[in-house]
Amino acid sequence: MRVRVLTIGLLLATSACSMTPKLTLPTPPVAATFPLEMGGEAVPEWRGMFGDARLQALIALALDENRDLRIAALNAEAARAQIHMQRAQSLPNVNLDTGYTRQRAGGEVAAGQTSTSSGQFTLQVALTSFEIDLFGRLRAQNAAATERYLASREGQRAMRLTVISAVADAYLAERLAEEQVRLTDATLADWQASLALARRLHDAGQSSGLDLAQAEGQVRQAEADMAQRQREWQQATNALTLAVGAPIPADLPSPVDLMAQPIQTALAADTPSDLLTRRPDIMQAEHELRAANADIGAARAAFFPRLSLTGAFGFASQALQTLGGAGNQSWSFAPALSVPIFRGGELQASLDLSRIRSSIAVATYEKTIQTAFREVADGLAARATFTDQLTAQQAAMEQAERRLALSGLSYQAGATSRLELLDAQRTVYAARQALLSARHAELTSATALYRALGGGV
């Protein structure tokens, strides 16, 4: 018995061979530095990035309710369960089997004799088809399952970052739409007052019908714009509700206007190599690459023999009360060696497929790095130009407002035509809209850079 135990132990100890190739991560296919190098604040946790209390409440709600994030979390749990299932194949299956068998001997029964029958009780602990992992096939499969679980965890982090930035973008779009409604409403009120003045002047014979028609046309256009802006606001609210994953609560803090939004717009980008450990999607792609490499090891090991063990130790007796007696012990030991000879090319095709999938994983990993580099570079380029754009747009709006004030005085004095006043009013309206749009673009660009840098998740 001791010799058998030592034999099994030696067989288990031989499972040290591995067919998995050594993995060397490819060199990142991007430049060593970004096109623009800028200092700034380190990437903060999301609450530090988005200082608007209303936006913070919406993001917190989304992290609890968003269905995409919930699916990603469930996928991670499924991958963890897959690890346990895969590891279980590397462990022996031990069963406790009990039974009772009764049988009757065959043949004719002579006159005056009775038929004979016998019964047997059994109790044994059985080891069923336990594979000795001589060439690392099971270990490679375990490694692949583990890497895919880690990839799913990084995928969950990536989805969390996506949800945060999606809610922020949807919130900013909703703020822009609401402020454009307010701007259009105020502009409409101004133009209606201007129309009333034009009617009085026309009734007094101090202006032509053309001036009145121009004023009426301008008001009708503003009314059309108002209907469009209200529709866009409602659609933006619907998009925000979808991003959050739940109805918007009525007791949220008051919103902050776009021009006063406390979103950090000066984030620091170090080097592209920092993205390799910060961006969850890159880390996810790396784990997928490692899993694909482990699959090659499992496919290679499938070409080699498989050794499995089946054994049992227990008791057998015709009487239940004597089942545990020393003389009723029973055991069996059945090692089996399976050598693949002909599989119709299946094993080679499986190995080829594993190598192709590994090449795909390498290309995916490299593409993910390139995409990350481009997104950060775009964010830095936007950051470098938005300050100048907003300054110029602010000055253009102020100049348009001064022109409007002067045109109003000149028109009332009869020094200029109604057309000049209408043009000045439209210019102010357009300049105010452009300033709002530019500020919105700056904030969404900052959110995109935050996401590109890996966020603080």
Side-chain angles (χ1 to χ4, degrees):
M1 183 66 182
R2 183 177 300 173
V3 174
R4 290 196 297 272
V5 173
L6 291 175
T7 300
I8 294 175
L10 289 174
L11 288 172
L12 293 174
T14 58
S15 58
C17 181
S18 174
M19 296 290 149
T20 302
K22 182 179 179 180
L23 176 64
T24 301
L25 292 177
T27 302
V30 294
T33 59
F34 293 109
L36 292 175
E37 295 286 344
M38 292 186 177
E41 299 292 333
V43 180
E45 189 265 345
W46 66 266
R47 291 185 184 275
M49 175 67 184
F50 305 104
D52 185 340
R54 184 182 183 89
L55 177 55
Q56 289 181 353
L58 290 173
I59 291 176
L61 180 60
L63 294 178
D64 290 334
E65 298 293 339
N66 185 274
R67 298 308 186 271
D68 290 333
L69 187 57
R70 190 173 299 177
I71 291 172
L74 292 174
N75 285 336
E77 291 299 316
R80 184 169 64 175
Q82 187 66 36
I83 290 180
H84 296 321
M85 293 174 59
Q86 187 62 52
R87 288 177 178 173
Q89 297 183 18
S90 304
L91 302 175
N93 293 328
V94 180
N95 300 321
L96 177 64
D97 299 328
T98 62
Y100 173 73
T101 303
R102 188 167 186 82
Q103 61 183 6
R104 176 183 177 277
E108 296 182 356
V109 180
Q113 296 180 349
T114 59
S115 62
T116 61
S117 61
S118 61
Q120 186 179 52
F121 294 91
T122 59
L123 173 66
Q124 63 180 8
V125 177
L127 174 71
T128 58
S129 299
F130 171 53
E131 180 178 345
I132 306 299
D133 195 18
L134 295 176
F135 300 98
R137 186 182 71 88
L138 296 180
R139 285 199 312 278
Q141 291 179 341
N142 288 344
T146 300
E147 292 296 339
R148 290 193 170 95
Y149 165 66
L150 295 175
S152 69
R153 288 292 301 273
E154 295 300 332
Q156 184 180 0
R157 289 182 60 231
M159 180 55 65
R160 180 182 174 89
L161 180 58
T162 298
V163 168
I164 290 172
S165 58
V167 172
D169 286 342
Y171 176 74
L172 293 173
E174 189 266 345
R175 287 289 85 223
L176 174 64
E178 195 270 339
E179 290 184 36
Q180 285 180 330
V181 167
R182 283 192 277 135
L183 172 60
T184 304
D185 185 57
T187 301
L188 176 58
D190 289 342
W191 291 359
Q192 286 173 338
S194 181
L195 173 59
L197 175 61
R199 282 175 175 163
R200 289 196 300 270
L201 293 175
H202 179 267
D203 293 341
Q206 298 179 12
S207 67
S208 65
L210 178 60
D211 287 350
L212 181 59
Q214 289 173 339
E216 288 179 343
Q218 189 177 39
V219 169
R220 300 298 171 258
Q221 184 59 56
E223 290 173 344
D225 287 350
M226 187 64 181
Q228 177 186 347
R229 299 304 182 189
Q230 288 176 333
R231 179 176 65 252
E232 291 173 348
W233 185 19
Q234 184 59 56
Q235 290 173 344
T237 302
N238 295 339
L240 178 59
T241 301
L242 177 61
V244 171
I248 306 300
D251 58 347
L252 293 177
S254 299
V256 178
D257 289 343
L258 286 178
M259 301 307 295
Q261 269 293 326
I263 293 178
Q264 290 196 31
T265 57
L267 298 177
D270 297 326
T271 63
S273 60
D274 295 322
L275 297 179
L276 302 182
T277 57
R278 184 184 297 163
R279 279 195 45 145
D281 58 338
I282 294 179
M283 299 182 69
Q284 180 182 12
E286 179 182 333
H287 287 303
E288 292 288 357
L289 174 56
R290 294 184 184 278
N293 187 67
D295 287 338
I296 294 177
R300 282 180 173 177
F303 284 88
F304 292 85
R306 296 186 188 180
L307 176 63
S308 61
L309 299 178
T310 299
F313 176 82
F315 302 89
S317 174
Q318 293 183 351
L320 181 60
Q321 59 270 24
T322 60
L323 181 61
N328 295 326
Q329 291 183 359
S330 65
W331 62 269
S332 65
F333 177 66
L337 185 66
S338 175
V339 182
I341 296 178
F342 177 74
R343 298 282 292 273
E346 176 188 356
L347 297 180
Q348 184 61 49
S350 177
L351 178 57
D352 292 342
L353 179 60
S354 297
R355 286 171 173 165
I356 292 171
R357 286 176 173 169
S358 179
S359 298
I360 293 173
V362 170
T364 301
Y365 176 71
E366 293 175 336
K367 179 64 175 179
T368 304
I369 294 175
Q370 289 176 332
T371 300
F373 182 90
R374 181 261 174 101
E375 290 175 350
V376 174
D378 285 349
L380 292 176
R383 177 187 159 189
T385 56
F386 268 118
T387 299
D388 293 340
Q389 180 183 353
L390 284 169
T391 300
Q393 191 62 55
Q394 179 72 33
M397 186 190 71
E398 292 172 355
Q399 182 63 36
E401 290 174 342
R402 284 194 295 269
R403 178 196 170 194
L404 175 59
L406 293 174
S407 296
L409 294 175
S410 297
Y411 176 70
Q412 293 179 21
T416 57
S417 66
R418 176 72 187 180
L419 184 60
E420 170 65 24
L421 178 61
L422 292 177
D423 183 64
Q425 289 174 332
R426 290 168 181 163
T427 301
V428 169
Y429 181 43
R432 289 171 177 171
Q433 285 185 322
L435 182 60
L436 278 177
S437 296
R439 175 58 175 170
H440 172 260
E442 180 190 32
L443 295 174
T444 55
S445 176
T447 300
L449 181 57
Y450 174 77
R451 181 175 62 249
L453 293 173
V457 297

